[in-house]
């Protein structure tokens, strides 16, 4: 009898916890947590997201973002909206995060995701905080199915790629671009460089590496300037005029479940470029 009573006492709080509806008025202060929030919660439970999320070059979820309020990421807005949970990235200003903690406001700090394991981890972290675990697992399952399809249909040919960026910067190992490119079936020429993160090539190094395809971030082609002159070097443009692709740079800055869809799109672009159709 005592054992049965003890079991009931143990089950009671756990059952109440699992049955709790979760936060009902959630606010996001980061572009990356915007996407997670829009994926995991219905609009009526979202207090606001950042204004970046309504720009299709910044967010996979821009159509859904039009259905909810937006904020500019200020503490004043947090105090006015009185959310029962605030999502912030580690790149949200330290002063804002520190003040939120001092005010004892419910805050979840979400790290960036640079590969698909980390995407699974942050999706589960946020889903758990929102009590939307089942939705999170469904999103992850869909992402994994897309990745499995890509792996099963990997191109026979090797496609060596350089993401040619500002001042000759190239994303190497440990970057989201590298993870998406690998899933797409391409080989990142910068992944063989020692160390992780971004490296840099000058024009001579790039040409000696002899990539099959150049991948340009969209902001380089959209807004040319002094900082992008090297990336748009006339000799490089001449040699790769029909073997280049453009990828949406802003969408590659946040690791979310849709990053698998980005890999699908990138593969299609790479195969087209290999056939000589930039």
């Amino acid at each position: 009898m005592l054992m049965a009573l003890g079991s009931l006492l143990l089950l009671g709080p756990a059952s109440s916890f699992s049955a709790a509806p979760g936060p009902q008025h959630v606010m996001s202060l980061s572009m990356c947590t915007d996407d997670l929030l829009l994926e995991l919660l219905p609009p009526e439970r979202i207090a606001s997201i950042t204004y970046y999320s309504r720009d299709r070059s910044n967010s996979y979820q821009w159509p859904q973002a039009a259905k909810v309020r937006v904020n500019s990421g200020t503490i004043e807005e947090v105090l006015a909206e009185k959310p029962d949970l605030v999502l912030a990235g580690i790149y949200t200003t330290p002063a804002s995060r520190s003040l939120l903690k001092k005010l004892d406001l419910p805050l979840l700090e979400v790290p960036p995701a640079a590969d698909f394991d980390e995407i699974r981890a942050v999706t589960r972290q946020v889903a758990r905080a929102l009590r939307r675990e089942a939705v999170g697992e469904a999103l992850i399952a869909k992402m994994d199915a897309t990745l499995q399809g890509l792996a099963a249909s990997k191109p026979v040919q090797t496609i060596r790629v350089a993401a040619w960026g500002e001042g000759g910067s190239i994303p190497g190992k440990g970057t989201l671009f590298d993870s998406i490119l690998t899933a797409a079936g391409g080989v990142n020429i910068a992944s063989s460089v020692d160390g992780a993160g971004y490296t840099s090539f000058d024009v001579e190094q790039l040409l000696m590496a002899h990539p099959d395809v150049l991948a340009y971030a969209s902001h380089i082609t959209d807004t040319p300037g002094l900082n992008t002159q090297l990336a748009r070097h006339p000799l490089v443009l001449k040699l790769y005029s029909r073997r280049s692709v453009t990828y949406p740079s802003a969408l590659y800055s946040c690791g979310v479940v849709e990053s698998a869809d980005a890999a699908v799109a990138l593969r299609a672009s790479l195969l087209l470029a290999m056939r000589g159709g930039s």
Side-chain angles (χ1 to χ4, degrees), residues 81-104:
E81 292 187 21
K82 298 181 175 62
D84 51 8
L85 179 64
V86 178
L87 302 182
I90 62 170
Y91 297 118
T92 301
T93 59
S96 296
R97 288 184 283 131
S98 176
L99 185 54
L100 287 171
K101 292 173 184 176
K102 286 180 180 178
L103 294 172
D104 202 27

Side-chain angles (χ1 to χ4, degrees), residues 192-277:
S192 60
V193 178
D194 291 338
Y198 281 77
T199 185
S200 62
F201 282 21
D202 58 27
V203 172
E204 289 79 9
Q205 287 174 302
L206 177 74
L207 297 181
M208 287 179 64
H210 196 61
D212 298 307
V213 178
L214 290 189
Y216 285 96
S218 57
H219 71 276
I220 291 174
T221 55
D222 293 342
T223 55
L226 291 175
N227 200 32
T228 61
Q229 278 186 344
L230 183 61
R232 308 293 291 170
H233 191 283
L235 178 58
V236 174
L237 292 179
K238 180 180 179 180
L239 292 174
Y240 286 91
S241 62
R242 299 188 64 80
R243 286 189 293 134
S244 64
V245 300
T246 300
Y247 64 92
S249 53
L251 299 185
Y252 277 59
S253 62
C254 293
V256 289
V257 291
E258 290 88 358
S259 295
D261 299 321
V264 173
L266 182 58
R267 174 180 290 182
S269 296
L270 293 176
L271 292 175
L272 179 62
M274 290 295 285
R275 293 194 295 268

Side-chain angles (χ1 to χ4, degrees), residues 12-278:
S15 300
S16 301
F17 181 83
S18 62
Q24 298 296 304
H25 196 57
V26 186
M27 185 175 185
S28 169
L29 300 181
S30 161
M31 185 173 71
C32 296
T33 56
D34 289 345
D35 269 10
L36 286 165
L37 192 54
L38 289 165
E39 282 275 30
L40 291 164
L41 276 188
E44 61 271 16
R45 288 177 59 181
I46 300 175
S48 68
I49 52 181
T50 72
Y51 66 91
Y52 296 110
S53 58
R54 288 189 176 176
D55 185 342
R56 68 176 65 197
S57 66
N58 286 330
S59 172
Y60 291 101
Q61 298 296 324
W62 62 269
Q64 289 79 1
K67 301 175 184 177
V68 299
R69 293 176 59 189
V70 294
N71 65 64
S72 300
T74 67
I75 292 296
E76 290 79 6
E77 288 170 305
V78 177
L79 297 175
E81 292 187 21
K82 298 181 175 62
D84 51 8
L85 179 64
V86 178
L87 302 182
I90 62 170
Y91 297 118
T92 301
T93 59
S96 296
R97 288 184 283 131
S98 176
L99 185 54
L100 287 171
K101 292 173 184 176
K102 286 180 180 178
L103 294 172
D104 202 27
L105 290 169
L107 172 67
L108 178 66
E109 296 178 277
V110 182
D115 59 42
F116 289 99
D117 282 339
E118 291 179 356
I119 290 171
R120 293 182 190 96
V122 298
T123 301
R124 288 183 172 123
Q125 177 192 15
V126 177
R128 188 163 52 248
L130 300 175
R131 307 283 173 82
R132 300 279 284 181
E133 290 92 340
V135 177
E137 291 305 317
L139 292 171
I140 292 169
K142 182 181 177 184
M143 178 187 78
D144 287 342
T146 301
L147 293 174
Q148 289 166 10
L150 284 167
S153 59
K154 189 175 179 179
V156 176
Q157 63 198 124
T158 298
I159 307 175
R160 300 177 67 254
V161 182
W164 190 226
E166 293 175 318
S169 66
I170 297 181
K173 290 185 293 187
T175 62
L176 183 59
F177 176 86
D178 186 62
S179 297
I180 292 175
L181 175 61
T182 301
V187 176
N188 185 359
I189 67 164
S191 63
S192 60
V193 178
D194 291 338
Y198 281 77
T199 185
S200 62
F201 282 21
D202 58 27
V203 172
E204 289 79 9
Q205 287 174 302
L206 177 74
L207 297 181
M208 287 179 64
H210 196 61
D212 298 307
V213 178
L214 290 189
Y216 285 96
S218 57
H219 71 276
I220 291 174
T221 55
D222 293 342
T223 55
L226 291 175
N227 200 32
T228 61
Q229 278 186 344
L230 183 61
R232 308 293 291 170
H233 191 283
L235 178 58
V236 174
L237 292 179
K238 180 180 179 180
L239 292 174
Y240 286 91
S241 62
R242 299 188 64 80
R243 286 189 293 134
S244 64
V245 300
T246 300
Y247 64 92
S249 53
L251 299 185
Y252 277 59
S253 62
C254 293
V256 289
V257 291
E258 290 88 358
S259 295
D261 299 321
V264 173
L266 182 58
R267 174 180 290 182
S269 296
L270 293 176
L271 292 175
L272 179 62
M274 290 295 285
R275 293 194 295 268
S278 176

